[in-house]
Amino acid sequence: MVRRRSTARRIPATDLEAIVEGRITDLFADASTIDTIVAPRARDVEERRRLVARANEMARLWPDLSSVEKITGLQRLVQEIVVTSNAVYITIRVDAILAMLRGEADSQRDDDGETLTLSVPATLKRVGMEMRHLIDAPEARQNRKPDHSLLRLLARAQKFRDLILQGDGASITELAAASAVTPSYFTRIVRLGFLAPEITAAILDGRQPIELSALKLSLASLPKEWSEQRRELGFR
């Protein structure tokens, strides 16, 4: 079982999972590091080259694995994850790396065996009304799953926008009443139906700034200019 220790207050499980996956695939894609690991353990030069090539192939194929296959792989490889105030440390079992590269069944787990510790910088960012320890690394943003709270908010904004466009002159008060919300809430949310297209696309793909929560988006004072919207919401 993977042990997780944390000296940080909070980190989303989905972001942590993406960070671990990203860092491990980076390791497998790093031919120099993999060669350093396998060189003293390979049976001969031919196997050494084959294991390095296999590691590169695993890094390439990892995104296409099923969720079950990914979880099984992580459970084999990861001995411990430590989340601190400024980094995530991932301890990898070296014997598990070799077993996976050779296509062998996992050997008896030995937590006293040789390990390799990988690290990823962490940052403290504001999310909603609180400060949370979060990861904002490239691999996290590439692998992050869409935020369901943000998706629901955008769907509601689109619904409110459609009501206005199809409302046949109905007032905001009337449309809000029909939606069972207050006029002020309706007005605040319907603005999100006019977000810059690239902002909407990023949220749908899970590529928004990690500190952008549904609450922050709903309360944001959005400019009309799309470039100003990107700046206001932390898009680069």
Side-chain angles (χ1 to χ4, degrees):
M1 178 179 296
V2 176
R3 296 195 302 269
R4 172 180 168 181
R5 294 189 287 116
S6 175
T7 58
R9 281 180 288 176
R10 191 175 180 186
I11 181 169
T14 53
D15 287 322
L16 182 58
E17 177 184 321
I19 280 293
V20 173
E21 287 187 24
R23 190 63 184 87
I24 288 176
T25 53
D26 283 348
L27 169 67
F28 282 139
D30 186 344
S32 177
T33 299
I34 291 296
D35 184 64
T36 299
I37 293 172
V38 304
R41 301 171 178 85
R43 300 181 181 99
D44 51 41
V45 174
E46 182 180 348
E47 185 190 42
R48 175 179 172 181
R49 292 173 179 169
R50 186 169 63 251
L51 294 178
V52 172
R54 174 57 181 159
N56 183 266
E57 182 183 22
M58 289 178 63
R60 180 174 55 83
L61 295 177
W62 183 274
D64 297 324
L65 296 179
S66 68
S67 297
V68 172
E69 289 173 321
K70 289 180 179 181
I71 291 172
T72 300
L74 292 178
Q75 288 177 336
R76 289 184 66 180
L77 290 167
V78 180
Q79 177 171 305
E80 184 177 53
I81 300 172
V82 178
V83 182
T84 71
S85 60
N86 56 14
V88 171
Y89 297 94
I90 309 160
T91 300
I92 307 296
R93 297 168 53 223
V94 172
D95 62 334
I97 294 176
L98 289 172
M100 290 184 71
L101 295 181
R102 286 172 172 159
E104 300 172 345
D106 204 4
S107 58
Q108 183 68 31
R109 191 180 188 92
D110 180 10
D111 286 343
D112 293 325
E114 187 174 356
T115 60
L116 172 68
T117 299
L118 311 173
S119 64
V120 182
T123 54
L124 182 65
K125 294 203 172 188
R126 181 171 295 280
V127 177
M129 303 300 290
E130 63 177 350
M131 296 296 289
R132 290 162 55 183
H133 289 274
L134 301 173
I135 303 299
D136 193 14
E139 58 267 30
R141 190 165 295 189
Q142 291 167 4
N143 295 285
R144 191 186 312 154
K145 298 176 182 178
D147 185 316
H148 291 293
S149 295
L150 284 169
L151 296 184
R152 286 194 296 269
L153 186 62
L154 290 186
R156 174 164 284 192
Q158 186 63 52
K159 178 182 177 181
F160 289 178
R161 176 185 175 179
D162 290 345
L163 286 175
I164 288 180
L165 296 177
Q166 304 167 7
D168 297 325
S171 67
I172 293 295
T173 300
E174 291 170 333
L175 294 176
S179 303
V181 298
T182 65
S184 61
Y185 178 82
F186 187 97
T187 302
R188 180 156 47 89
I189 300 305
V190 75
R191 296 174 305 125
L192 303 179
F194 300 89
L195 281 173
E198 57 265 42
I199 293 178
T200 299
I203 292 173
L204 293 176
D205 292 340
R207 295 182 288 103
Q208 74 280 355
I210 200 167
E211 67 272 22
L212 182 60
S213 65
L215 179 60
K216 180 176 180 179
L217 181 58
S218 67
L219 296 176
S221 176
L222 290 179
K224 292 181 180 180
E225 294 292 331
W226 286 348
S227 60
E228 293 299 319
Q229 289 182 7
R230 292 193 295 269
R231 187 177 297 107
E232 175 72 20
L233 297 177
F235 286 83
R236 307 221 176 15

